[in-house]
Amino acid sequence: MSEFDQSLMPTDVSIITTYRCQMRCKMCDIWENPSDRKSEITAKDLEILPNLKFVNVTGGEPFLRRDLEEIVEVAYTKASRIVISTSGWHVERIIKMAERFPDIGIRVSIEGLSQKNDFLRGRNGGFDRALKVLLTLKEMGVKDIGFGITVSNKNSADMLQLHALSQELGMEFATAAFHNSYYFHKDDNVITNQDEVVGNFHELIERLMKENSPKSWFRAFFNLGLINYIKNGKRMLPCEAGTANFFIEPYGDVYPCNGLEERYWKESMGNIHNANSFEEIWFSDKANQVREKVRKCPKNCWMVGTAAPVMKKYIKHPVKWVAKNKIKSMLGRPICIEEIPRYDVGQDPQQGDLREDNASDLNIGFDEK
């Protein structure tokens, strides 16, 4: 019998398999800070993972890992749903993966239509390869496929056209806004043309609410959160990173999320190389200290990895918003984005208050009881 409360175990993990990447993205400098291939976590290392509901395999570019199939094989012993996030550059490797694991999920990052994508991703031919991957997977009968865009100052209009493309292809479509963090090696990702970007997100929300799929309606709620983030508002729902979800980076450190910045704080919950079981990390004093810092984290990130778990946990709030605005959409009335709701579920008032990045002041605040 385990001495740990299994009901407190996480359900989702993102495995950052590598910091190596062949793309040269404008909004992410991970490619300039590659991990050492010889020191990256192995499939054997990942056997320590607990049973989960969902595993996201990401990078860098995960398909640069020659042992990626072995990593996925281990992941399938831990969760029934595995999704790999990729640029789509390595067409043959992706197709080979789907042939071996036909239930695999594949999400391809596309930052705009052809020329815009290739400019933002820094490699000519990237859009063509990404589209080839998606179409080939569809022809193969792979069900869990889709693509997504990270919106910056230059591509929000293309987001609407990519959404239309996803509708025509019958594929999933995900959105994000660029963030700053240790993971992206960026501290200057700031949306300066807010009116234009918010306007395009507003239009996307209107389109999503007109669809017949409840999943699309809740994606509209998520996109409202992105508008709120762009406007520097506090999160609509709290961040509980390191509770339902966690990240493992290429050298084995376990982090609550990938949005940490050293100018605010950055602390690992532990390292899988130094533990006999995952529970030893998850229930450690160090992990609890990290969760306490999350409770008072000054950032207002809104990324799917940390937004989705709290949307599910506090589902009554998104449901109320969806029900109200679906009725408005059916009546032909516009969705209001001027007054973005913020739901009080007992979160610490210091969370997301966008404090100035004074490390000493922040550490004092974190240590207060």
Side-chain angles (χ1 to χ4, degrees), residues 2 18 27 92 109 212 278 342:
S2 173
T18 182
M27 64 289 187
E92 292 77 13
S109 297
N212 295 323
F278 188 78
R342 180 174 180 270

Side-chain angles (χ1 to χ4, degrees), residues 35-205:
S35 47
D36 179 1
R37 178 177 59 83
K38 296 179 180 178
S39 301
E40 292 169 344
I41 49 176
T42 66
K44 181 71 175 175
D45 294 330
L46 294 171
E47 291 178 0
I48 196 174
L49 290 179
N51 291 327
L52 300 153
K53 293 182 179 179
F54 174 68
V55 175
N56 174 226
V57 179
T58 185
E61 173 54 67
F63 282 96
L64 285 175
R65 290 288 300 255
R66 294 293 184 172
D67 61 343
L68 187 60
E69 289 189 24
E70 286 72 25
I71 289 174
V72 170
E73 190 169 22
V74 170
Y76 266 119
T77 69
K78 305 298 180 178
S80 59
R81 183 163 182 249
I82 315 297
V83 172
I84 304 177
S85 301
T86 176
S87 65
W89 186 263
H90 300 281
V91 180
E92 292 77 13
R93 297 181 195 176
I94 298 171
I95 301 309
K96 184 172 178 286
M97 179 70 73
E99 288 173 343
R100 179 172 174 183
F101 301 101
D103 292 331
I104 196 76
I106 299 292
R107 293 294 182 272
V108 180
S109 297
I110 299 179
E111 308 310 333
L113 300 179
S114 180
Q115 292 183 349
K116 183 77 68 175
N117 175 82
D118 292 0
F119 168 74
L120 290 174
R121 305 225 78 186
R123 293 293 298 269
N124 290 332
F127 181 87
D128 291 350
R129 292 193 187 209
L131 190 58
K132 182 176 182 179
V133 162
L134 291 168
L135 294 176
T136 303
L137 292 173
K138 186 176 176 65
E139 290 172 3
M140 291 170 60
V142 178
K143 303 296 184 185
D144 194 356
I145 52 176
F147 57 98
I149 181 173
T150 298
V151 173
S152 59
N153 294 313
K154 302 178 182 295
N155 63 346
S156 64
D158 282 20
M159 169 180 64
L160 298 174
Q161 294 168 315
L162 288 177
H163 172 253
L165 178 62
S166 74
Q167 294 290 96
E168 291 295 324
L169 295 176
M171 296 182 182
E172 300 288 331
F173 181 67
T175 53
F178 66 4
H179 283 63
N180 297 310
S181 79
Y182 82 93
Y183 175 73
F184 303 111
H185 293 275
K186 295 289 286 185
D187 60 10
D188 60 350
N189 279 338
V190 178
I191 289 178
T192 53
N193 54 337
Q194 284 193 13
D195 290 346
E196 177 185 357
V197 175
V198 167
N200 286 318
F201 269 115
H202 189 184
E203 175 60 27
L204 179 62
I205 289 172

Side-chain angles (χ1 to χ4, degrees), residues 172-174 208 214-224 311:
E172 300 288 331
F173 181 67
L208 289 168
K215 183 183 287 188
S216 296
W217 309 339
F218 284 95
R219 283 185 176 147
F221 180 89
F222 174 79
N223 281 285
L224 183 69
M311 284 176 61

